[in-house]
Amino acid sequence: MSEHVEHSSVHGHHHDRGWRAVVRYVRLSRRMWTSPINRAVIGLLDVRASEWVLDVGAGMGAGAVVAAKAGAHVIAVEPTPFLRRVLAARRLAQRSRNRIEVLDGAAEHLPLPDASVDAAWAVNTMHHWSDLDAAVAELERVLRRGGRVLLVDEDFDDPAHVDHDRVDARRHKQHLAFPEIDPAVVGEKLAAHGFDVQKAAKTELAGRPAKVLLARKT
């Protein structure tokens, strides 16, 4: 695989397009640059050197950079042009730059060959997916037999989350509405596509309430 960065996209949720989205991402850049959740995800997936791994909705690379430093070859798929440009620039500053590819795509349209990755993850992107069934089918398609997948959405609706009040206020101010993610429902869809689901629950990850799906392709 070789790096391919597109500068326009019709993928992803409509809230993620336009100048309002750019302003929102700039304001969130510190949180999107690095996060304890992404570090925990890479550790929980046990990403290894020389593996080919997929970051779905890679954003500014909080998970992709960590995985590349661990020696994995990372395919960072991101539907938002602004975030792809930020990640492509960040990639150039990394010693592990040759192990990171930035691609235009989305969970429902992954620009990868069949059975091409050993592990995949998505952090705080499930609620942006426009078609959950298509996304699960795509994960099944691109993962190799035995491949691992970890899907995590922080549970900002839980009052115990450190960012609950901030996120709740932003959603009301900007009239943001995203679909509710039920881990049990996502787990059922993964199982229907041949995954061995090891966890599908609301739990805690990196000290934060989260909705966590951990599965392996059989």
Side-chain angles (χ1 to χ4, degrees):
M1 298 180 187
S2 59
E3 184 186 1
H4 174 61
V5 183
E6 294 287 349
H7 297 290
S8 63
S9 174
V10 294
H11 300 306
H13 199 283
H14 69 276
H15 286 306
D16 304 319
R17 300 193 289 272
W19 67 267
R20 292 181 184 274
V22 171
V23 171
R24 184 169 72 249
Y25 289 132
V26 169
R27 289 175 176 170
L28 294 172
S29 59
R30 179 178 296 182
R31 294 180 176 89
M32 296 183 72
W33 196 260
T34 182
S35 81
I37 287 286
N38 275 276
R39 290 191 294 272
V41 162
I42 302 307
L44 189 56
L45 262 182
D46 189 25
V47 171
R48 305 158 201 162
S50 76
E51 284 191 317
W52 286 87
V53 299
L54 167 65
D55 188 350
V56 182
M60 295 183 183
V65 168
V66 174
K69 287 180 179 178
H73 300 273
V74 185
I75 311 301
V77 172
E78 172 53 51
T80 305
F82 172 72
L83 294 178
R84 283 201 309 278
R85 287 193 286 269
V86 172
L87 179 50
R90 183 180 187 181
R91 168 192 169 274
L92 295 176
Q94 304 298 314
R95 290 184 179 180
S96 55
R97 67 179 70 88
N98 291 332
R99 293 196 295 273
I100 301 174
E101 297 182 43
V102 184
L103 300 181
D104 176 14
E108 302 86 354
H109 303 282
L110 295 172
L112 283 77
D114 295 354
S116 57
V117 295
D118 301 294
W121 68 89
V123 175
N124 290 336
T125 69
M126 278 191 289
H127 62 281
H128 291 265
W129 295 355
S130 59
D131 188 333
L132 180 58
D133 291 294
V136 171
E138 279 289 84
L139 287 169
E140 177 196 10
R141 180 182 67 79
V142 302
L143 279 163
R144 296 177 178 134
R145 185 178 297 275
R148 299 101 64 204
V149 62
L150 180 55
L151 309 176
V152 175
D153 261 18
E154 292 181 64
D155 191 356
F156 296 108
D157 294 324
D158 189 328
H161 195 290
V162 64
D163 290 325
H164 170 268
D165 292 344
R166 177 186 63 80
V167 171
D168 188 59
R170 178 173 63 84
R171 286 175 175 172
H172 281 87
K173 181 179 180 180
Q174 300 180 8
H175 305 290
L176 297 176
F178 295 103
E180 173 65 21
I181 298 299
D182 184 340
V185 171
V186 181
E188 290 172 359
K189 292 182 182 297
L190 286 166
H193 279 270
F195 285 90
D196 174 21
V197 180
Q198 300 163 7
K199 182 182 288 291
K202 291 185 178 182
T203 184
E204 189 175 276
L205 187 63
R208 302 182 178 197
K211 303 167 186 181
V212 177
L213 285 300
L214 178 63
R216 184 179 295 270
K217 181 178 175 180
T218 58

